[in-house]
Amino acid sequence: MSRSERSSPNDRAQSNVVGVALLLAIAVVGLGGLTAGIGAVVESNAATADAASVADGFDRALQPTETTGYHEGRVAFANGRIATEDRALRVLNESGVVATVAVDALVYESGDRRVAYEAGTIVRGRTGNSWLYEAPPITASRGSGGVLAVGAAQLNASEWTTTGAAGRSLRLSSRVSHDRRALGNGSYRVAIETPTPGAWKRHFDAQSAVRSTSGRLFPGDDHQSVVATYRGDRTAYLIIHDMQLEVNRA
C-alpha cells in the first residue's frame, strides 16, 4: 500500500465526527418517539381520569330514586363536553306499547371516552365496548310471575343543556317528583333506547326474571332499543322520577 492510500489522522477524525453525529441523530429520533409515546399515555390517562370523574359526578348529582325535592351536585372535567340527547323508555305487554317515557340522556364525550346517564343508569364506553357503572332502577320478582317495577328517571332538562356545555365544572341541580302508575297484570317487556346495547343486554341477560333480550327500532327513535322480555304474567308498575334537571356552570 502506497503512502497516499493510507488514511490520514484527519480522515479518521472526520469519520469519528460523522459517526458521533449519526449516533446523536438516532438518539434524537428515538427520544422524539419516546416523548410522543409518553405524551399519548399521559393524554389517555387524563381522558380516563376525566371519564371516571364524570361518572362519579353523575352518580352523586343525579339520584332521582333516592331524592324528593331539591338536590344538586357537581361534575368536573378537564376536556370534553356534556349535552342532552333524546332517549325513550317503553313498557309493552302482549298488546303492544302501554307506556312511553321520554327519559333522555345526559352525555359526556371526550375523544373516544364517553359517559351517559340514561333512564337512571350510568353507562361508560361506546358501542362494542360499554359497561354499566350504575344499574337501572328496574326490579322484578325472580322467575315467572310476581311483580315488575320499572323506574324511569326522566331528565326533563332545561333547554340550555340541549346546546351542550364545554367547561371544567358544571352544577347539576334537580327538583325531583314521583308518579307511580299501576299497569295491571300481564306479560311484559321493557325497551330502552340506547347507542350502547351491549351493556344493557348483558345486564338483562343476567336477570333470572328475564326470559330473553332482543333489539328493535321504534318509529321516531334515533337508536335501537334493547327489549327485555320478562317471564310469565306479573303485576307491573311504572314509577316516573321527574328530575326537572338544570345544568349551569359551577
Side-chain angles (χ1 to χ4, degrees):
M1 178 181 294
S2 67
R3 192 182 181 98
S4 62
E5 292 174 323
R6 296 173 185 165
S7 59
S8 67
N10 288 338
D11 291 335
R12 288 195 295 273
Q14 290 175 357
S15 297
N16 289 338
V17 170
V18 171
V20 171
L22 286 173
L23 288 174
L24 286 173
I26 292 171
V28 169
V29 171
L31 286 173
L34 179 61
T35 301
I38 292 174
V41 170
V42 170
E43 184 177 347
S44 176
N45 288 341
T48 299
D50 268 352
S53 174
V54 170
D56 185 61
F58 281 176
D59 190 32
R60 292 173 181 272
L62 307 174
Q63 299 183 353
T65 62
E66 303 167 16
T67 303
T68 297
Y70 186 80
H71 181 75
E72 74 170 43
R74 283 169 172 75
V75 175
F77 51 95
N79 296 291
R81 66 190 297 271
I82 289 179
T84 56
E85 296 181 4
D86 294 340
R87 294 284 190 280
L89 176 150
R90 294 176 174 87
V91 181
L92 306 88
N93 63 11
E94 56 272 15
S95 301
V97 177
V98 294
T100 300
V101 183
V103 291
D104 296 336
L106 192 63
V107 182
Y108 165 80
E109 291 184 296
S110 180
D112 62 351
R113 302 302 195 275
R114 179 180 181 278
V115 181
Y117 181 93
E118 52 188 18
T121 304
I122 299 173
V123 184
R124 291 190 59 178
R126 295 184 178 275
T127 302
N129 182 29
S130 62
W131 64 98
L132 295 189
Y133 181 88
E134 180 72 18
I138 301 173
T139 59
S141 303
R142 294 184 177 182
S144 298
V147 174
L148 170 64
V150 182
Q154 183 179 38
L155 289 185
N156 195 4
S158 62
E159 289 296 322
W160 185 88
T161 64
T162 62
T163 62
R168 302 188 183 279
S169 183
L170 296 176
R171 185 175 71 255
L172 309 182
S173 57
S174 57
R175 195 171 298 277
V176 184
S177 60
H178 312 277
D179 178 25
R180 180 175 178 271
R181 305 176 187 176
L183 302 179
N185 192 67
S187 176
Y188 285 97
R189 291 165 287 162
V190 176
I192 308 289
E193 181 191 3
T194 177
T196 52
W200 286 91
K201 187 177 186 303
R202 287 191 299 273
H203 171 77
F204 284 126
D205 284 342
Q207 308 302 305
S208 63
V210 175
R211 187 176 71 224
S212 63
T213 56
S214 58
R216 176 177 172 182
L217 181 62
F218 289 89
D221 285 0
D222 296 323
H223 306 281
Q224 275 201 339
S225 289
V226 173
V227 183
T229 300
Y230 287 83
R231 300 179 186 276
D233 287 351
R234 56 185 65 227
T235 302
Y237 300 91
L238 173 64
I239 304 96
I240 299 176
H241 309 286
D242 186 350
M243 301 171 66
Q244 300 182 49
L245 180 68
E246 292 188 5
V247 181
N248 296 286
R249 297 190 185 279

